[in-house]
Amino acid sequence: MSTVFDEQPDLGDHDLPNMDLEDRHALRRVAGLSTELQDISEVEYRALRLERVVLIGVWAEGSLASAENSLRELSRLAETAGSEVLDGLIQRRSRIDAATYVGSGKARELAGIVAAAGADTVICDGELTPSQLRNLEGVVRVKVIDRTALILDIFAQHARSREGKAQVELAQLQYMLPRLRGWGESLSRQAGGRVAGGGGIGTRGPGETKIETDRRRLRARISRLQKDIAGLSTGRKVQRGQRRRRDVPSVVIAGYTNAGKSSLLNVLTGAGVLVEDALFATLDPAVRRAETPSGRTFTLTDTVGFVRHLPHQLIDAFRSTLEETAEADLILHVVDGSDAEPEAQIAAVRAVLAEIGAGHVPELVVVNKIDSADPVVLHGLRAREPGSLSISAKTGAGLAALRDAIEAALPRLDVQVKLTIPYSRGDLVARAHAEGEVLATEHSADGTLLEARVPPGLAAQLEAVLDDCVQVQG
């Protein structure tokens, strides 16, 4: 995908002070972002009425290629939300304009592009302050949203469970709270002074404004949602505690959105969860039982995908869900090997993992989609990520090696037992097979001779049964 510079020179990575004013302030059109729907089913999947959007980004740091890839990702996000992308533009600046994001002159130029394209929405590739949002809307005369609002909208469309919907609503309200706006009479809905039973001279006035009322209601709703989410997360904590007591290892699949995490869960466990070529198709965590090649049981959890500049509101709202990652024994960090910038994906995911307190959990990097990846890119990833594995969840390539690597990375069971279990306690033998690693079995007249490595709790029960048998015989 190439960039059209409108006959301007390639600026490379030169310092901004050495650039001509025209080059420094130019809007560059990013090619290949237009969307033309070919199938009515695609329209039905998205929305009855598609919004027509123009994307705008500011290239303030890094390379031009990185800025373009970020805008292309924004284009995919917009399409996932149900929009038709008409154009994408980047401005080179030393820093984002504090008033209008792209600068007042470029904002007026953007307004002309929006009008010519017939767009009804502008999406900015960054998070806008409330004043930037108001000022830019005032210039372009159409709705303006930022990357954060777009991601929140996608999450709202894809949330299915009660907890997922509550988490998304909480994130949206936390985002909306500082951005409430009001004009004219709507600011003075409630009277003060004598009308409100006030104190007379010096105290009469509009009283609580409409916007203050809305903020109070939002804060009350946020408080209620936080309590609801805390209550809903209790059941998951109980389940995690039960697995810990049974010493069942936990493996979490984490990674960038649309990297193939759900596909990997399906091929490893036969879970049958939703797999879709769309961003943020999975919001609700799915926990499934899996086994290593030797038969050792562990849990495998699919989690919500991450993305560059993931809104802090979402991280806070989904923190109870993401606790599963922070308490795991192993993280399978799935990377899309066919992406233009897989290293940027890895950095973004690790930043979020560190933010949720999962930076200490052992990590196994799994490069997926090797069937469609550039071999040169794969070679570079292997060099930068020693110990990583390359697989294709679609074709099954590399899955056997992945299963072996998971088994080797799981925490070892440190209690080895060798004893004879009476046939009347066959349930304990079954548990040794399910929860531990059976090394050898032999049947005799007295029972089953079992040699195995098992969790400490099960080892204590096995030894207690043996002691009871000895006491009975004595």
Side-chain angles (χ1 to χ4, degrees):
M1 213 175 281
S2 62
T3 302
V4 178
F5 288 95
D6 295 334
E7 300 182 355
Q8 295 180 30
D10 187 352
L11 301 176
D13 290 321
H14 298 302
D15 293 335
L16 286 173
N18 299 327
M19 297 166 56
D20 293 334
L21 184 64
E22 181 182 357
D23 290 336
R24 191 161 67 245
H25 290 170
L27 283 178
R28 290 170 179 78
R29 181 167 279 107
V30 176
L33 295 185
S34 297
T35 302
E36 293 185 5
L37 302 180
Q38 304 293 333
D39 189 331
I40 188 63
S41 63
E42 195 173 356
V43 178
E44 292 172 350
Y45 166 73
R46 293 177 179 183
L48 293 177
R49 177 184 175 274
L50 292 176
E51 291 184 83
R52 296 163 57 83
V53 305
V54 170
L55 312 180
I56 180 67
V58 172
W59 170 26
E61 58 184 15
S63 66
L64 175 59
S66 178
E68 286 184 339
N69 287 330
S70 181
L71 204 69
R72 290 190 183 98
E73 181 177 87
L74 186 69
S75 174
R76 293 197 63 202
L77 288 168
E79 292 171 11
T80 301
S83 298
E84 182 182 4
V85 179
L86 303 177
D87 211 340
L89 305 156
I90 293 178
Q91 183 191 13
R92 177 59 153 150
R93 291 180 60 90
S94 58
R95 59 183 178 275
I96 291 174
D97 186 83
T100 54
Y101 184 71
V102 292
S104 57
K106 290 299 112 178
R108 289 191 294 271
E109 186 177 334
L110 175 63
I113 295 172
V114 167
D120 53 32
T121 304
V122 169
I123 305 179
C124 298
D125 192 17
E127 183 166 331
L128 302 181
T129 64
S131 61
Q132 286 173 331
L133 189 65
R134 287 193 296 270
N135 293 338
L136 190 56
E137 269 190 357
V139 176
V140 298
R141 299 297 179 183
V142 296
K143 181 173 68 174
V144 175
I145 65 172
D146 57 18
R147 187 186 184 97
T148 298
L150 177 60
I151 293 174
L152 291 173
D153 183 80
I154 296 170
F155 270 60
Q157 291 183 40
H158 288 183
R160 294 292 179 268
S161 69
R162 180 185 172 193
E163 184 175 15
K165 291 177 180 179
Q167 288 168 325
V168 172
E169 183 183 355
L170 174 61
Q172 288 179 315
L173 294 183
Q174 289 173 332
Y175 172 80
M176 288 169 54
L177 187 59
R179 292 170 173 81
L180 286 179
R181 291 176 285 179
W183 296 269
E185 292 300 320
S186 65
L187 291 174
S188 304
R189 288 288 182 85
Q190 297 184 12
R194 287 180 182 161
V195 179
I201 295 174
T203 65
R204 284 185 285 266
E208 186 178 38
T209 64
K210 171 67 164 58
I211 197 168
E212 289 169 347
T213 305
D214 291 341
R215 283 177 178 153
R216 179 165 49 81
R217 289 173 176 169
L218 280 185
R219 291 190 184 100
R221 180 60 180 164
I222 287 172
S223 177
R224 178 62 183 172
L225 286 170
Q226 288 172 334
K227 292 179 182 178
D228 290 345
I229 291 171
L232 290 168
S233 66
T234 302
R236 191 166 45 253
K237 290 180 180 178
V238 170
Q239 292 175 345
R240 281 203 302 269
Q242 291 174 343
R243 292 196 295 268
R244 289 296 180 191
R245 283 194 295 272
R246 297 179 62 188
D247 295 292
V248 179
S250 171
V251 179
V252 167
I253 304 175
Y256 215 74
T257 180
N258 206 34
K261 299 182 298 300
S262 298
S263 297
L264 182 59
L265 177 73
N266 286 342
V267 297
L268 291 179
T269 67
V273 299
L274 171 69
V275 174
E276 191 175 352
D277 185 18
L279 304 183
F280 300 117
T282 301
L283 292 189
D284 302 313
V287 183
R288 297 294 184 270
R289 179 180 179 274
E291 289 186 354
T292 65
S294 67
R296 186 179 178 190
T297 300
F298 64 95
T299 60
L300 194 60
T301 305
D302 186 18
T303 61
V304 61
F306 303 143
V307 72
R308 274 172 284 201
H309 313 302
L310 190 67
H312 290 287
Q313 296 92 341
L314 276 175
I315 296 175
D316 292 337
F318 278 75
R319 192 169 295 276
S320 61
T321 301
L322 296 173
E323 286 174 357
E324 192 84 30
T325 305
E327 297 180 14
D329 296 300
L330 175 67
I331 294 176
L332 296 185
H333 181 167
V334 182
V335 182
D336 183 356
S338 65
D339 187 76
E341 284 189 311
E343 297 87 354
Q345 285 194 2
I346 294 174
V349 170
R350 285 177 175 164
V352 177
L353 290 176
E355 188 169 351
I356 62 175
H360 67 284
V361 181
E363 175 194 58
L364 178 60
V365 176
V366 182
V367 182
N368 191 23
K369 304 185 183 181
I370 61 173
D371 53 303
S372 57
D374 185 343
V376 176
V377 174
L378 292 178
H379 180 75
L381 277 175
R382 293 190 191 101
R384 282 184 288 272
E385 296 293 335
S388 63
L389 295 175
S390 299
I391 70 159
S392 171
K394 181 178 180 180
T395 66
L399 291 180
L402 175 59
R403 290 187 175 96
D404 292 337
I406 293 174
E407 181 164 33
L410 291 179
R412 299 302 305 169
L413 302 174
D414 55 1
V415 179
Q416 184 165 336
V417 296
K418 185 176 181 180
L419 37 74
T420 301
I421 305 299
Y423 289 120
S424 61
R425 295 307 309 270
D427 60 308
L428 293 178
V429 177
R431 284 187 58 189
H433 280 278
E435 300 175 24
E437 183 180 358
V438 176
L439 304 177
T441 58
E442 184 179 333
H443 299 287
S444 66
D446 297 327
T448 302
L449 177 62
L450 178 69
E451 183 177 0
R453 282 194 288 267
V454 296
L458 180 56
Q461 293 185 45
L462 292 170
E463 291 171 356
V465 169
L466 185 61
D467 292 340
D468 291 341
C469 291
V470 171
Q471 292 175 6
V472 170
Q473 291 174 358

